[in-house]
Amino acid sequence: MIESFIGFVILLGISFLGIPLAYATLAVGFFGFWYVRGDLMGAVTLSGQEIFDWATLFGLSVVPLFILMGTLIQRANISDELYEAGYAWVGKYKGGLAMATVLSCAGFSAVSGSSLATAATMARVAMPPMRRYKYQDSLAAGTLAAGGTLGIMIPPSVPMIIYGIVTETNIGSMFIAGVIPGILLTLSYLFAVYFRVLSKPELGPPGEPVDHSEKMRTLYKTWPILVIFLLVLGGIYMGVFTPTEAGAVGAVGGFLFALSRGRMWSIGEIIHVFSDTVIVTARIFIIGGAALIFGQFLNYAGLSGELVDFTDSLNLGPITLPLVISIICILMGMIFESIAILLLIVPVFLPSLEAVADQSMIDPDLYLVWFGIIVIIVVELGLITPPIGINVFTVKSVIPNIDLTQIFIGVVPFVIADLVVLALIFIVPGLAVLLPSLMF
Protein backbone atom coordinates (compact mmCIF):
# COMPACT_ATOMS: atom_id res chain seq x y z
CA MET A 1 0.00 0.00 0.00
CA ILE A 2 2.92 2.35 0.64
CA GLU A 3 3.71 2.20 -3.08
CA SER A 4 0.33 3.84 -3.78
CA PHE A 5 1.14 6.87 -1.64
CA ILE A 6 4.59 7.16 -3.19
CA GLY A 7 2.90 7.07 -6.60
CA PHE A 8 0.56 9.91 -5.62
CA VAL A 9 3.49 12.01 -4.38
CA ILE A 10 5.46 11.44 -7.59
CA LEU A 11 2.38 12.21 -9.68
CA LEU A 12 1.79 15.48 -7.86
CA GLY A 13 5.46 16.44 -8.15
CA ILE A 14 5.81 15.88 -11.90
CA SER A 15 2.45 17.59 -12.51
CA PHE A 16 3.79 20.72 -10.84
CA LEU A 17 6.79 20.54 -13.17
CA GLY A 18 4.39 21.30 -16.01
CA ILE A 19 3.87 17.81 -17.45
CA PRO A 20 0.23 17.39 -18.55
CA LEU A 21 -1.74 15.44 -15.96
CA ALA A 22 -2.83 12.74 -18.43
CA TYR A 23 0.76 11.89 -19.38
CA ALA A 24 1.92 12.13 -15.78
CA THR A 25 -0.82 9.71 -14.72
CA LEU A 26 0.05 7.35 -17.57
CA ALA A 27 3.76 7.35 -16.69
CA VAL A 28 3.26 6.82 -12.95
CA GLY A 29 0.67 4.11 -13.56
CA PHE A 30 2.89 2.25 -16.04
CA PHE A 31 6.12 2.40 -14.01
CA GLY A 32 4.25 1.83 -10.76
CA PHE A 33 2.63 -1.32 -12.13
CA TRP A 34 6.01 -2.47 -13.45
CA TYR A 35 7.58 -1.92 -10.03
CA VAL A 36 4.80 -3.65 -8.06
CA ARG A 37 4.59 -6.68 -10.39
CA GLY A 38 8.28 -6.76 -11.37
CA ASP A 39 7.22 -7.54 -14.94
CA LEU A 40 8.00 -5.06 -17.73
CA MET A 41 6.18 -6.98 -20.45
CA GLY A 42 3.19 -7.37 -18.11
CA ALA A 43 3.09 -3.60 -17.70
CA VAL A 44 3.34 -3.07 -21.47
CA THR A 45 0.59 -5.64 -22.16
CA LEU A 46 -1.75 -4.31 -19.49
CA SER A 47 -1.29 -0.68 -20.59
CA GLY A 48 -1.95 -1.49 -24.21
CA GLN A 49 -4.99 -3.60 -23.37
CA GLU A 50 -6.51 -0.95 -21.07
CA ILE A 51 -6.06 1.79 -23.67
CA PHE A 52 -7.47 -0.41 -26.46
CA ASP A 53 -10.49 -1.52 -24.42
CA TRP A 54 -11.24 2.07 -23.42
CA ALA A 55 -10.84 3.50 -26.91
CA THR A 56 -13.08 0.86 -28.48
CA LEU A 57 -15.86 1.06 -25.90
CA PHE A 58 -19.06 1.49 -27.90
CA GLY A 59 -20.80 3.54 -25.20
CA LEU A 60 -18.22 6.30 -25.64
CA SER A 61 -19.48 6.98 -29.17
CA VAL A 62 -21.88 9.50 -27.64
CA VAL A 63 -18.99 11.66 -26.36
CA PRO A 64 -17.75 13.15 -29.69
CA LEU A 65 -21.35 13.87 -30.75
CA PHE A 66 -22.06 16.10 -27.77
CA ILE A 67 -18.62 17.69 -28.06
CA LEU A 68 -19.35 18.43 -31.73
CA MET A 69 -22.68 19.98 -30.77
CA GLY A 70 -20.99 22.25 -28.23
CA THR A 71 -18.24 23.21 -30.66
CA LEU A 72 -20.77 24.16 -33.34
CA ILE A 73 -22.75 26.28 -30.88
CA GLN A 74 -19.55 27.91 -29.69
CA ARG A 75 -18.60 28.64 -33.30
CA ALA A 76 -21.91 30.46 -33.77
CA ASN A 77 -20.86 32.97 -31.06
CA ILE A 78 -23.89 32.21 -28.91
CA SER A 79 -21.76 32.94 -25.83
CA ASP A 80 -21.77 36.66 -26.70
CA GLU A 81 -25.55 36.71 -27.04
CA LEU A 82 -26.07 34.77 -23.82
CA TYR A 83 -23.92 37.25 -21.94
CA GLU A 84 -25.67 40.17 -23.60
CA ALA A 85 -29.05 38.79 -22.49
CA GLY A 86 -27.81 38.19 -18.96
CA TYR A 87 -26.38 41.69 -18.74
CA ALA A 88 -29.60 43.25 -20.04
CA TRP A 89 -31.65 41.64 -17.28
CA VAL A 90 -29.40 41.82 -14.22
CA GLY A 91 -26.46 44.04 -15.20
CA LYS A 92 -27.82 47.18 -13.53
CA TYR A 93 -27.57 45.64 -10.04
CA LYS A 94 -24.50 45.46 -7.83
CA GLY A 95 -22.61 42.40 -8.93
CA GLY A 96 -24.94 42.25 -11.92
CA LEU A 97 -22.21 41.52 -14.45
CA ALA A 98 -21.02 38.59 -12.34
CA MET A 99 -24.63 37.36 -12.11
CA ALA A 100 -24.93 37.73 -15.88
CA THR A 101 -21.79 35.62 -16.20
CA VAL A 102 -23.33 32.86 -14.06
CA LEU A 103 -26.52 32.90 -16.15
CA SER A 104 -24.62 32.84 -19.44
CA CYS A 105 -22.40 30.01 -18.15
CA ALA A 106 -25.55 28.06 -17.29
CA GLY A 107 -26.98 28.69 -20.75
CA PHE A 108 -23.76 27.73 -22.50
CA SER A 109 -23.44 24.63 -20.31
CA ALA A 110 -26.79 23.43 -21.61
CA VAL A 111 -25.22 22.79 -25.00
CA SER A 112 -21.50 22.38 -24.34
CA GLY A 113 -21.18 19.55 -21.80
CA SER A 114 -17.68 20.69 -20.83
CA SER A 115 -16.61 22.76 -17.85
CA LEU A 116 -13.30 23.75 -19.47
CA ALA A 117 -14.98 24.92 -22.68
CA THR A 118 -17.53 26.92 -20.67
CA ALA A 119 -14.89 28.58 -18.50
CA ALA A 120 -12.55 29.36 -21.41
CA THR A 121 -15.29 30.70 -23.68
CA MET A 122 -17.01 32.87 -21.08
CA ALA A 123 -13.68 34.21 -19.81
CA ARG A 124 -13.05 35.76 -23.22
CA VAL A 125 -16.56 37.20 -23.34
CA ALA A 126 -17.22 38.38 -19.78
CA MET A 127 -13.86 39.46 -18.36
CA PRO A 128 -13.37 42.60 -20.52
CA PRO A 129 -16.73 44.24 -19.56
CA MET A 130 -16.28 43.32 -15.89
CA ARG A 131 -12.89 45.01 -15.87
CA ARG A 132 -14.35 47.98 -17.72
CA TYR A 133 -16.89 48.43 -14.92
CA LYS A 134 -14.11 48.18 -12.29
CA TYR A 135 -14.96 44.72 -11.00
CA GLN A 136 -12.22 43.35 -8.78
CA ASP A 137 -10.37 40.43 -10.33
CA SER A 138 -11.14 38.08 -7.46
CA LEU A 139 -14.91 38.31 -8.01
CA ALA A 140 -14.71 38.41 -11.82
CA ALA A 141 -12.30 35.53 -12.31
CA GLY A 142 -13.75 33.50 -9.43
CA THR A 143 -17.18 33.72 -11.03
CA LEU A 144 -15.80 32.55 -14.36
CA ALA A 145 -13.95 29.58 -12.87
CA ALA A 146 -16.93 28.50 -10.77
CA GLY A 147 -19.52 29.22 -13.47
CA GLY A 148 -17.63 26.92 -15.80
CA THR A 149 -18.25 23.99 -13.46
CA LEU A 150 -21.93 24.14 -14.40
CA GLY A 151 -20.85 22.55 -17.68
CA ILE A 152 -20.59 19.11 -16.06
CA MET A 153 -23.88 19.30 -14.14
CA ILE A 154 -26.31 20.89 -16.56
CA PRO A 155 -26.95 18.22 -19.23
CA PRO A 156 -25.62 17.14 -21.61
CA SER A 157 -22.48 16.38 -19.57
CA VAL A 158 -19.46 14.33 -20.59
CA PRO A 159 -18.65 13.23 -17.00
CA MET A 160 -22.26 12.05 -16.65
CA ILE A 161 -21.75 9.91 -19.75
CA ILE A 162 -18.56 8.44 -18.28
CA TYR A 163 -20.31 7.74 -14.97
CA GLY A 164 -23.20 6.08 -16.77
CA ILE A 165 -20.82 3.82 -18.70
CA VAL A 166 -18.78 2.85 -15.61
CA THR A 167 -21.84 2.05 -13.47
CA GLU A 168 -24.06 0.82 -16.32
CA THR A 169 -26.56 3.49 -15.33
CA ASN A 170 -28.95 4.84 -17.96
CA ILE A 171 -27.25 7.95 -19.39
CA GLY A 172 -30.60 9.53 -20.24
CA SER A 173 -31.64 9.18 -16.59
CA MET A 174 -28.41 10.87 -15.51
CA PHE A 175 -29.06 13.76 -17.90
CA ILE A 176 -32.60 14.24 -16.62
CA ALA A 177 -31.44 13.94 -13.01
CA GLY A 178 -29.03 16.84 -13.54
CA VAL A 179 -31.76 19.36 -14.40
CA ILE A 180 -32.98 20.25 -10.87
CA PRO A 181 -29.50 20.18 -9.26
CA GLY A 182 -28.21 22.29 -12.17
CA ILE A 183 -30.90 24.90 -11.50
CA LEU A 184 -30.12 24.80 -7.76
CA LEU A 185 -26.40 25.29 -8.41
CA THR A 186 -27.09 28.22 -10.72
CA LEU A 187 -29.31 29.87 -8.12
CA SER A 188 -26.78 29.21 -5.36
CA TYR A 189 -24.06 30.88 -7.45
CA LEU A 190 -26.29 33.91 -7.97
CA PHE A 191 -26.83 34.13 -4.22
CA ALA A 192 -23.07 33.76 -3.67
CA VAL A 193 -22.45 36.80 -5.86
CA TYR A 194 -25.26 38.73 -4.18
CA PHE A 195 -23.99 38.13 -0.64
CA ARG A 196 -20.40 38.84 -1.71
CA VAL A 197 -21.23 42.30 -3.06
CA LEU A 198 -23.66 42.91 -0.19
CA SER A 199 -20.75 42.88 2.24
CA LYS A 200 -18.28 44.55 -0.15
CA PRO A 201 -20.10 46.64 -2.81
CA GLU A 202 -16.81 47.79 -4.33
CA LEU A 203 -16.21 44.27 -5.62
CA GLY A 204 -18.90 44.62 -8.29
CA PRO A 205 -20.25 48.09 -9.15
CA PRO A 206 -23.59 48.21 -11.05
CA GLY A 207 -23.69 48.54 -14.82
CA GLU A 208 -25.87 50.60 -17.13
CA PRO A 209 -29.66 50.01 -17.00
CA VAL A 210 -31.33 48.57 -20.14
CA ASP A 211 -34.88 49.37 -21.26
CA HIS A 212 -37.56 46.67 -21.51
CA SER A 213 -37.61 46.44 -25.31
CA GLU A 214 -33.86 45.81 -25.38
CA LYS A 215 -34.26 43.13 -22.71
CA MET A 216 -36.83 41.31 -24.82
CA ARG A 217 -34.67 41.62 -27.94
CA THR A 218 -31.67 40.03 -26.24
CA LEU A 219 -33.84 37.29 -24.75
CA TYR A 220 -35.34 36.48 -28.15
CA LYS A 221 -31.87 36.00 -29.67
CA THR A 222 -31.16 33.11 -27.30
CA TRP A 223 -34.14 30.98 -28.40
CA PRO A 224 -32.02 28.46 -30.40
CA ILE A 225 -30.28 27.35 -27.20
CA LEU A 226 -33.62 26.63 -25.56
CA VAL A 227 -34.85 24.76 -28.64
CA ILE A 228 -31.77 22.54 -28.87
CA PHE A 229 -31.77 21.91 -25.10
CA LEU A 230 -35.43 20.92 -25.07
CA LEU A 231 -35.07 18.85 -28.25
CA VAL A 232 -32.17 16.82 -26.86
CA LEU A 233 -33.42 16.35 -23.30
CA GLY A 234 -37.07 16.15 -24.27
CA GLY A 235 -36.32 13.46 -26.84
CA ILE A 236 -34.42 11.41 -24.26
CA TYR A 237 -37.06 11.89 -21.56
CA MET A 238 -39.93 10.89 -23.85
CA GLY A 239 -38.04 7.88 -25.19
CA VAL A 240 -37.83 9.22 -28.74
CA PHE A 241 -34.00 9.22 -28.79
CA THR A 242 -31.28 7.22 -27.17
CA PRO A 243 -28.49 9.45 -25.76
CA THR A 244 -26.33 8.68 -28.81
CA GLU A 245 -29.15 9.59 -31.18
CA ALA A 246 -29.86 12.72 -29.13
CA GLY A 247 -26.22 13.73 -29.51
CA ALA A 248 -26.49 13.34 -33.28
CA VAL A 249 -29.73 15.36 -33.35
CA GLY A 250 -28.13 18.06 -31.21
CA ALA A 251 -25.08 18.19 -33.47
CA VAL A 252 -27.29 18.62 -36.56
CA GLY A 253 -29.27 21.31 -34.71
CA GLY A 254 -26.04 23.06 -33.77
CA PHE A 255 -24.87 22.93 -37.38
CA LEU A 256 -28.13 24.43 -38.68
CA PHE A 257 -27.97 27.10 -35.99
CA ALA A 258 -24.41 27.99 -36.99
CA LEU A 259 -25.48 28.16 -40.65
CA SER A 260 -28.30 30.56 -39.71
CA ARG A 261 -25.70 32.83 -38.08
CA GLY A 262 -23.56 32.96 -41.20
CA ARG A 263 -21.05 30.38 -39.97
CA MET A 264 -19.93 26.98 -41.28
CA TRP A 265 -20.34 28.01 -44.93
CA SER A 266 -16.68 27.40 -45.79
CA ILE A 267 -14.65 24.21 -45.89
CA GLY A 268 -12.06 25.86 -43.63
CA GLU A 269 -14.62 26.45 -40.87
CA ILE A 270 -15.94 22.90 -41.11
CA ILE A 271 -12.41 21.46 -40.89
CA HIS A 272 -11.67 23.74 -37.92
CA VAL A 273 -14.77 22.62 -35.99
CA PHE A 274 -14.21 18.93 -36.64
CA SER A 275 -10.51 19.15 -35.77
CA ASP A 276 -11.40 20.85 -32.47
CA THR A 277 -13.89 18.08 -31.76
CA VAL A 278 -11.30 15.40 -32.50
CA ILE A 279 -8.70 17.09 -30.28
CA VAL A 280 -11.05 17.43 -27.30
CA THR A 281 -12.30 13.85 -27.76
CA ALA A 282 -8.72 12.58 -27.96
CA ARG A 283 -7.85 14.37 -24.73
CA ILE A 284 -10.76 12.69 -22.96
CA PHE A 285 -9.72 9.28 -24.26
CA ILE A 286 -6.09 9.87 -23.22
CA ILE A 287 -7.15 10.92 -19.72
CA GLY A 288 -9.46 7.90 -19.47
CA GLY A 289 -6.85 5.40 -20.60
CA ALA A 290 -4.20 6.88 -18.31
CA ALA A 291 -6.60 6.80 -15.34
CA LEU A 292 -7.42 3.12 -15.96
CA ILE A 293 -3.72 2.19 -16.04
CA PHE A 294 -3.10 4.18 -12.85
CA GLY A 295 -6.12 2.47 -11.30
CA GLN A 296 -4.63 -0.95 -12.07
CA PHE A 297 -1.43 0.12 -10.35
CA LEU A 298 -3.44 1.14 -7.27
CA ASN A 299 -5.28 -2.20 -7.34
CA TYR A 300 -2.09 -4.23 -7.39
CA ALA A 301 -0.47 -1.95 -4.81
CA GLY A 302 -3.36 -2.72 -2.46
CA LEU A 303 -4.86 0.76 -2.03
CA SER A 304 -8.22 -0.03 -3.65
CA GLY A 305 -8.73 -3.12 -1.50
CA GLU A 306 -7.73 -1.26 1.65
CA LEU A 307 -10.25 1.51 0.92
CA VAL A 308 -13.07 -0.97 0.37
CA ASP A 309 -12.15 -2.97 3.48
CA PHE A 310 -12.04 0.22 5.52
CA THR A 311 -15.45 1.44 4.42
CA ASP A 312 -16.98 -2.04 4.76
CA SER A 313 -15.65 -2.33 8.31
CA LEU A 314 -17.52 0.83 9.28
CA ASN A 315 -20.88 -0.78 8.34
CA LEU A 316 -21.94 2.41 6.60
CA GLY A 317 -25.51 2.99 5.48
CA PRO A 318 -26.98 4.30 2.21
CA ILE A 319 -26.26 7.91 3.20
CA THR A 320 -23.01 7.63 5.17
CA LEU A 321 -21.24 5.49 2.55
CA PRO A 322 -21.68 8.10 -0.22
CA LEU A 323 -20.62 10.75 2.31
CA VAL A 324 -17.31 8.96 2.98
CA ILE A 325 -16.77 8.38 -0.76
CA SER A 326 -17.46 12.09 -1.36
CA ILE A 327 -14.73 13.06 1.10
CA ILE A 328 -12.30 10.75 -0.70
CA CYS A 329 -13.34 12.25 -4.06
CA ILE A 330 -12.81 15.79 -2.75
CA LEU A 331 -9.26 14.86 -1.74
CA MET A 332 -8.70 13.18 -5.12
CA GLY A 333 -10.15 16.22 -6.87
CA MET A 334 -7.28 18.33 -5.56
CA ILE A 335 -5.00 16.31 -7.83
CA PHE A 336 -6.96 14.60 -10.59
CA GLU A 337 -9.16 15.70 -13.48
CA SER A 338 -12.89 14.92 -13.20
CA ILE A 339 -12.96 11.95 -15.61
CA ALA A 340 -9.94 10.40 -13.91
CA ILE A 341 -11.74 10.59 -10.54
CA LEU A 342 -14.79 8.85 -11.94
CA LEU A 343 -12.67 6.06 -13.43
CA LEU A 344 -10.50 5.61 -10.34
CA ILE A 345 -13.00 5.88 -7.49
CA VAL A 346 -16.43 4.83 -8.75
CA PRO A 347 -15.50 1.28 -9.93
CA VAL A 348 -13.77 0.61 -6.59
CA PHE A 349 -16.83 1.40 -4.50
CA LEU A 350 -19.54 0.29 -6.94
CA PRO A 351 -19.97 -3.20 -5.39
CA SER A 352 -20.29 -1.66 -1.91
CA LEU A 353 -22.90 0.82 -3.15
CA GLU A 354 -24.94 -1.91 -4.82
CA ALA A 355 -24.74 -4.07 -1.67
CA VAL A 356 -25.90 -1.19 0.54
CA ALA A 357 -28.82 -0.50 -1.81
CA ASP A 358 -29.87 -4.18 -1.67
CA GLN A 359 -29.59 -4.34 2.12
CA SER A 360 -31.60 -1.15 2.53
CA MET A 361 -34.23 -2.30 -0.02
CA ILE A 362 -33.60 0.78 -2.16
CA ASP A 363 -34.11 0.82 -5.93
CA PRO A 364 -30.48 0.32 -7.10
CA ASP A 365 -31.06 2.20 -10.37
CA LEU A 366 -32.31 5.35 -8.65
CA TYR A 367 -29.72 4.99 -5.89
CA LEU A 368 -26.88 5.01 -8.44
CA VAL A 369 -28.46 7.98 -10.24
CA TRP A 370 -28.60 9.87 -6.91
CA PHE A 371 -25.02 8.92 -6.11
CA GLY A 372 -23.98 10.02 -9.60
CA ILE A 373 -25.31 13.52 -8.97
CA ILE A 374 -23.45 13.56 -5.65
CA VAL A 375 -20.21 12.60 -7.38
CA ILE A 376 -20.66 15.21 -10.11
CA ILE A 377 -21.07 17.98 -7.50
CA VAL A 378 -17.99 16.70 -5.66
CA VAL A 379 -16.05 16.68 -8.93
CA GLU A 380 -17.15 20.30 -9.47
CA LEU A 381 -15.49 21.16 -6.17
CA GLY A 382 -12.27 19.56 -7.38
CA LEU A 383 -12.28 21.75 -10.49
CA ILE A 384 -11.94 24.94 -8.42
CA THR A 385 -9.98 23.85 -5.34
CA PRO A 386 -6.18 23.90 -4.98
CA PRO A 387 -3.59 22.69 -5.67
CA ILE A 388 -4.79 21.69 -9.17
CA GLY A 389 -8.09 23.44 -9.78
CA ILE A 390 -8.26 22.86 -13.51
CA ASN A 391 -10.95 25.50 -14.12
CA VAL A 392 -8.87 28.04 -12.20
CA PHE A 393 -5.86 27.35 -14.40
CA THR A 394 -8.07 27.50 -17.50
CA VAL A 395 -9.22 31.01 -16.60
CA LYS A 396 -5.61 31.92 -15.84
CA SER A 397 -4.52 30.69 -19.29
CA VAL A 398 -7.16 32.86 -20.99
CA ILE A 399 -6.44 35.89 -18.76
CA PRO A 400 -2.68 35.66 -18.11
CA ASN A 401 -2.42 39.09 -16.45
CA ILE A 402 -4.23 37.99 -13.31
CA ASP A 403 -2.86 36.63 -10.06
CA LEU A 404 -3.67 32.95 -9.52
CA THR A 405 -4.18 33.61 -5.82
CA GLN A 406 -6.94 36.10 -6.61
CA ILE A 407 -8.86 33.48 -8.57
CA PHE A 408 -8.64 30.96 -5.73
CA ILE A 409 -9.83 33.65 -3.29
CA GLY A 410 -12.69 34.49 -5.65
CA VAL A 411 -13.98 30.90 -5.84
CA VAL A 412 -14.38 30.52 -2.05
CA PRO A 413 -18.04 31.73 -1.97
CA PHE A 414 -18.86 29.34 -4.81
CA VAL A 415 -17.22 26.42 -3.01
CA ILE A 416 -19.53 27.19 -0.08
CA ALA A 417 -22.48 27.31 -2.49
CA ASP A 418 -21.50 23.90 -3.89
CA LEU A 419 -21.36 22.47 -0.37
CA VAL A 420 -24.82 23.86 0.44
CA VAL A 421 -26.34 22.24 -2.67
CA LEU A 422 -24.45 19.01 -1.92
CA ALA A 423 -25.97 18.98 1.57
CA LEU A 424 -29.44 19.56 0.10
CA ILE A 425 -29.06 16.60 -2.27
CA PHE A 426 -27.99 14.42 0.67
CA ILE A 427 -30.90 15.57 2.83
CA VAL A 428 -33.52 15.56 0.06
CA PRO A 429 -32.57 12.83 -2.45
CA GLY A 430 -35.78 13.52 -4.36
CA LEU A 431 -34.16 16.64 -5.79
CA ALA A 432 -31.97 14.33 -7.86
CA VAL A 433 -34.23 11.34 -8.51
CA LEU A 434 -37.68 12.89 -8.93
CA LEU A 435 -37.48 13.37 -12.70
CA PRO A 436 -35.66 10.11 -13.54
CA SER A 437 -38.06 8.16 -11.31
CA LEU A 438 -40.81 9.07 -13.77
CA MET A 439 -38.82 7.41 -16.56
CA PHE A 440 -38.64 3.95 -14.97
Side-chain angles (χ1 to χ4, degrees):
M1 183 173 170
I2 188 65
E3 293 91 346
S4 303
F5 292 106
I6 293 174
F8 276 114
V9 172
I10 295 174
L11 174 61
L12 189 59
I14 60 180
S15 295
F16 275 116
L17 292 176
I19 296 176
L21 194 57
Y23 301 128
T25 306
L26 177 62
V28 175
F30 174 81
F31 287 106
F33 184 85
W34 179 13
Y35 175 79
V36 172
R37 291 295 303 271
D39 182 2
L40 174 59
M41 287 309 300
V44 172
T45 302
L46 176 131
S47 299
Q49 189 65 47
E50 289 288 349
I51 292 173
F52 178 80
D53 290 345
W54 173 252
T56 56
L57 194 61
F58 176 76
L60 289 174
S61 60
V62 67
V63 172
L65 291 171
F66 280 114
I67 292 173
L68 176 61
M69 180 182 75
T71 305
L72 287 165
I73 295 294
Q74 183 179 359
R75 189 70 178 173
N77 283 339
I78 187 62
S79 55
D80 298 279
E81 294 173 359
L82 286 169
Y83 185 76
E84 183 185 2
Y87 172 75
W89 286 88
V90 298
K92 68 177 182 180
Y93 303 108
K94 293 177 182 178
L97 273 73
M99 294 181 186
T101 299
V102 171
L103 292 173
S104 53
C105 283
F108 191 79
S109 297
V111 288
S112 74
S114 167
S115 63
L116 300 185
T118 303
T121 301
M122 296 313 305
R124 296 185 181 94
V125 174
M127 195 64 182
M130 283 196 280
R131 279 185 163 171
R132 188 166 62 248
Y133 280 96
K134 310 299 182 185
Y135 272 57
Q136 291 192 12
D137 282 350
S138 61
L139 176 63
T143 302
L144 288 164
T149 65
L150 296 173
I152 65 172
M153 175 55 75
I154 298 176
S157 160
V158 172
M160 282 186 181
I161 295 171
I162 303 300
Y163 176 85
I165 292 170
V166 170
T167 63
E168 297 184 356
T169 301
N170 186 285
I171 295 173
S173 298
M174 286 301 304
F175 282 176
I176 299 302
V179 172
I180 294 177
I183 293 172
L184 288 176
L185 283 167
T186 303
L187 292 174
S188 71
Y189 284 6
L190 293 175
F191 279 113
V193 173
Y194 172 77
F195 286 114
R196 193 79 179 95
V197 297
L198 190 65
S199 58
K200 289 187 176 181
E202 67 275 11
L203 289 176
E208 300 290 338
V210 176
D211 61 47
H212 182 72
S213 61
E214 180 65 13
K215 289 180 181 179
M216 297 307 297
R217 184 191 67 82
T218 59
L219 191 62
Y220 175 75
K221 290 172 67 175
T222 63
W223 68 266
I225 288 292
L226 182 62
V227 170
I228 293 176
F229 179 76
L230 292 177
L231 182 63
V232 170
L233 276 196
I236 293 174
Y237 188 78
M238 297 174 65
V240 178
F241 310 134
T242 65
T244 303
E245 292 167 345
V249 170
V252 172
F255 181 71
L256 295 176
F257 174 54
L259 286 176
S260 70
R261 298 299 172 96
R263 300 302 180 99
M264 302 301 296
W265 287 98
S266 69
I267 296 297
E269 281 188 298
I270 293 174
I271 292 174
H272 180 75
V273 164
F274 276 91
S275 63
D276 279 354
T277 301
V278 170
I279 290 170
V280 174
T281 303
R283 286 173 180 167
I284 291 172
F285 276 67
I286 291 171
I287 291 169
L292 289 173
I293 294 169
F294 189 81
Q296 289 291 355
F297 157 58
L298 297 181
N299 285 334
Y300 279 96
L303 179 61
S304 301
E306 290 288 341
L307 285 174
V308 173
D309 291 342
F310 172 71
T311 54
D312 288 347
S313 67
L314 297 176
N315 293 319
L316 300 173
I319 299 295
T320 50
L321 176 59
L323 182 59
V324 171
I325 298 174
S326 296
I327 294 171
I328 295 172
C329 287
I330 289 174
L331 296 175
M332 294 282 287
M334 296 179 179
I335 304 174
F336 287 99
E337 200 270 350
S338 57
I339 293 174
I341 296 173
L342 295 174
L343 292 172
L344 288 172
I345 295 297
V346 174
V348 170
F349 289 104
L350 182 59
S352 299
L353 290 164
E354 291 174 335
V356 165
D358 289 338
Q359 293 168 7
S360 305
M361 295 173 52
I362 298 173
D363 185 328
D365 292 326
L366 290 178
Y367 185 67
L368 288 178
V369 168
W370 171 75
F371 176 71
I373 297 300
I374 294 290
V375 169
I376 295 297
I377 296 176
V378 169
V379 167
E380 283 187 348
L381 285 168
L383 292 173
I384 54 177
T385 50
I388 305 179
I390 295 179
N391 268 31
V392 172
F393 282 90
T394 298
V395 172
K396 169 68 175 176
S397 68
V398 177
I399 313 164
N401 60 339
I402 188 173
D403 185 13
L404 199 61
T405 305
Q406 289 297 310
I407 310 178
F408 277 118
I409 291 173
V411 300
V412 170
F414 301 100
V415 169
I416 296 172
D418 275 334
L419 292 173
V420 169
V421 174
L422 182 62
L424 282 174
I425 301 298
F426 265 107
I427 296 169
V428 188
L431 293 172
V433 300
L434 174 62
L435 294 180
S437 67
L438 302 177
M439 297 178 64
F440 296 137

